[in-house]
């Protein structure tokens, strides 16, 4: 299949309406289009079409029990897709949409099980990207969209990443430049008694609690131990797969900063001596402290959006450099750091060394 590749914005930052109309027409015909959002690129198809959803799973090589997020261009488009839009969920939409928050509600009959991975609930989100919103609006359908990567690889933060994974498999890639946040939306389940975060993201537990009162994390998210992780099944089916992963073996080193640097340098020497190519993921402040030729800083640790913005592109870059072992510093915090560490721990397959 030929994949059309077009820019979403013109030189002056105005929408490229020719390209966006073309994308909307593809969606209306049941075809697939990759598009930019504020989090990561999405691979969109008509959420009400069984065939489009099946095609999404096939293009990504994704297991079909892993449900898709349905993207809308406004709140009123949610009503036909859900059994009921409860007050609290509506408040969330009014406060955080458009934006990086996905809300789980009970689905109506028009949403096919092919889209929800067999579940009776549906994940809903209104992305904060002008081109995406215009495309969804013109297509006149809700748009099911997982991240536009091959299943298991880091999510795409640039159109080039989408091209690497999906060229020839989908009808169009709408290039909106680099995304802002760089990791996927926060997911909150609003179908139970207590709102539950199923995936941490840019919208934090604190912000959600301010509006909703008690909010909890799905217990599977707090696990750092591989054996425990195998036993507790996360409520977001996608969170159980090894995700976001680079080809290299990725190991996190956590603890006192000086000890972390010392340990990483030790590991670099050990593995280089064994003939492996090593790499280090760190922050600006420590990047000159490593005795390794392959060091990438995610940025200034205080600026968490820069760290999240750079994470997936860095993991992909290590793949390009054919790195065998990546040693990484950690980036935990109560804010975006929770989401950054959630993705890093999964990318590392729970390999964490405490020093
Ligand atoms: O930022 C984002 O959310 C991006 C952009 C493209 O919007 N999308 C994204 O989609 O990350 P995806 O498919 O890569 O991740 C969707 C996650 C999976 O972990 C999936 O299991 C979960 O959402 N999910 C979807 N529907 C669900 C449901 N009904 N119940 C529980 N989890 C659900
Ligand atoms: Mg994904």
């Amino acid at each position: 299949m030929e994949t059309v590749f077009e820019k979403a914005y013109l030189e002056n930052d105005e929408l490229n309406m020719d390209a966006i109309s073309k994308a909307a027409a593809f969606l209306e015909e049941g075809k697939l289009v990759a598009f930019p959002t504020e989090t990561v690129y999405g691979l969109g198809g008509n959420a009400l079409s069984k065939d489009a959803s099946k095609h999404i799973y096939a293009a990504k090589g994704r297991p079909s029990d892993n449900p898709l997020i349905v993207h809308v261009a406004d709140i009123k488009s949610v009503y036909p897709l859900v059994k009921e839009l409860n007050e609290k969920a509506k408040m969330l939409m009014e406060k955080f949409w458009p934006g990086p928050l996905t809300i789980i509600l009970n689905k109506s009959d028009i949403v096919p099980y092919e889209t929800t991975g067999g579940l009776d609930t549906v994940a809903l989100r209104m992305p904060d990207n002008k081109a995406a919103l215009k495309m969804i609006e013109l297509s006149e359908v809700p748009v099911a969209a997982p991240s536009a990567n091959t299943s298991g690889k880091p999510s795409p933060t640039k159109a080039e990443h989408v091209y690497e994974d999906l060229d020839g498999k989908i009808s169009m890639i709408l290039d909106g430049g680099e995304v802002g946040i760089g990791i996927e939306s926060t997911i909150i389940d609003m179908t139970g008694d207590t709102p539950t975060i199923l995936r941490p993201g840019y919208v934090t537990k604190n912000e959600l609690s301010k509006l909703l009162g008690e909010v909890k994390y799905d217990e599977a998210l707090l696990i750092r131990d591989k054996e425990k992780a195998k036993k507790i099944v996360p409520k977001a089916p996608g969170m159980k797969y090894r995700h976001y992963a680079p080809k290299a073996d990725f190991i996190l080193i956590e603890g006192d900063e000086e000890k972390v640097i010392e340990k990483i340098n030790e590991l670099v020497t050990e593995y280089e001596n064994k003939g492996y190519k090593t790499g280090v993921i760190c922050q600006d402040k420590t990047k000159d402290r490593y005795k390794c030729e392959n060091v990438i800083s995610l940025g200034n640790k205080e600026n968490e959006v820069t760290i999240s913005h750079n994470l997936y592109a860095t993991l992909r870059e290590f793949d390009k450099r054919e790195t065998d072992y990546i040693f990484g510093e950690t980036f935990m915090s109560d804010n975006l750091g929770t989401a950054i560490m959630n993705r890093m721990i999964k990318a590392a397959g729970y390999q964490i060394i405490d020093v």
Side-chain angles (χ1 to χ4, degrees):
M1 173 190 308
E2 192 212 344
T3 302
V4 179
F5 192 97
E6 280 191 41
K7 295 240 187 269
Y9 297 93
L10 302 169
E11 306 267 291
N12 56 5
D13 259 3
E14 264 174 44
L15 294 176
N16 180 359
M17 286 309 295
D18 281 350
I20 292 169
S21 310
K22 203 181 281 176
F26 276 132
L27 291 172
E28 229 178 321
E29 288 165 29
K31 307 246 169 71
L32 305 189
V33 176
F35 62 97
T37 79
E38 79 283 32
T39 56
V40 299
Y41 273 79
L43 170 58
N46 178 354
L48 302 182
S49 154
K50 295 176 185 180
D51 288 340
S53 289
K54 283 189 196 154
H55 191 173
I56 291 176
Y57 289 110
K60 271 181 71 85
R62 170 167 173 152
S64 60
D65 68 339
N66 188 0
L68 308 173
I69 294 175
V70 177
H71 296 65
V72 293
D74 44 49
I75 297 178
K76 73 175 190 303
S77 304
V78 167
Y79 287 93
L81 306 174
V82 299
K83 277 232 159 76
E84 187 204 4
L85 179 50
N86 59 54
E87 263 320 297
K88 282 191 166 173
K90 190 149 180 251
M91 271 161 59
L92 285 176
M93 291 171 186
E94 279 162 359
K95 172 139 174 82
F96 292 103
W97 283 8
L101 181 69
T102 295
I103 300 169
I104 311 265
L105 291 170
N106 290 314
K107 79 171 192 72
S108 70
D109 293 339
I110 67 165
V111 183
Y113 284 114
E114 280 74 6
T115 300
T116 66
L119 299 176
D120 288 317
T121 53
V122 59
L124 298 152
R125 154 161 151 77
M126 177 174 167
D128 188 10
N129 179 289
K130 287 203 181 78
L133 290 172
K134 189 45 106 185
M135 176 193 81
I136 299 166
E137 185 196 317
L138 293 178
S139 76
E140 294 182 349
V141 292
V143 175
S147 49
N149 51 297
T150 301
S151 191
K153 282 235 247 167
S155 298
T157 57
K158 302 175 190 182
E160 290 75 17
H161 298 157
V162 181
Y163 187 83
E164 279 165 25
D165 286 10
L166 297 174
D167 182 37
K169 295 184 177 162
I170 61 177
S171 295
M172 183 170 183
I173 298 173
L174 201 50
D175 176 1
E178 284 194 30
V179 302
I181 297 170
I183 59 179
E184 305 84 349
S185 60
T186 305
I187 302 179
I188 188 162
D189 183 353
M190 295 302 290
T191 63
D193 291 337
T194 311
T196 306
I197 296 173
L198 306 189
R199 179 173 72 182
Y202 182 81
V203 177
T204 62
K205 183 165 179 275
N206 258 340
E207 285 176 277
L208 293 164
S209 305
K210 270 187 205 145
L211 200 75
L212 299 173
E214 189 192 355
V215 172
K216 60 180 188 195
Y217 281 120
D218 177 21
E219 60 173 341
L221 295 183
L222 306 173
I223 296 173
R224 285 176 158 236
D225 177 274
K226 195 174 191 169
E227 291 313 307
K228 271 199 203 134
K230 278 187 197 155
K231 285 184 204 132
I232 298 189
V233 181
K235 293 216 179 62
M239 299 299 281
K240 73 180 180 241
Y241 299 105
R242 184 175 178 217
H243 242 99
Y244 323 113
K247 288 186 201 137
D249 224 315
F250 182 25
I251 301 162
L252 298 170
I253 323 295
E254 190 161 54
D256 169 76
E257 194 169 284
E258 285 305 314
K259 284 193 186 149
V260 167
I261 294 169
E262 195 182 316
K263 182 70 183 178
I264 290 180
N265 277 326
E266 231 176 81
L267 288 165
V268 166
T269 309
E270 182 186 333
Y271 281 82
E272 289 282 334
N273 285 343
K274 285 183 189 162
Y276 292 113
K277 179 161 184 182
T278 65
V280 175
I281 292 183
C282 63
Q283 50 176 314
D284 285 352
K285 191 172 108 190
T286 56
K287 71 170 187 287
D288 297 328
R289 304 281 309 277
Y290 292 104
K291 300 187 195 80
C292 178
E293 278 170 19
N294 204 11
V295 177
I296 303 181
S297 166
L298 296 181
N300 178 348
K301 202 171 185 168
E302 318 295 73
N303 189 345
E304 296 193 307
V305 183
T306 308
I307 306 286
S308 69
H309 173 87
N310 289 329
L311 177 63
Y312 290 143
T314 299
L315 294 176
R316 282 183 181 254
E317 179 59 28
F318 278 120
D319 278 354
K320 281 216 184 90
R321 298 185 191 178
E322 300 192 324
T323 313
D324 300 306
Y325 283 87
I326 308 168
F327 303 109
E329 292 183 12
T330 59
F331 294 83
M332 192 60 189
S333 78
D334 284 338
N335 297 315
L336 191 50
T338 306
I340 295 167
M341 280 309 291
N342 169 266
R343 307 308 194 276
M344 286 185 97
I345 289 171
K346 288 175 71 63
Y350 297 91
Q351 301 191 84
I352 310 171
I353 301 176
D354 280 309
V355 290

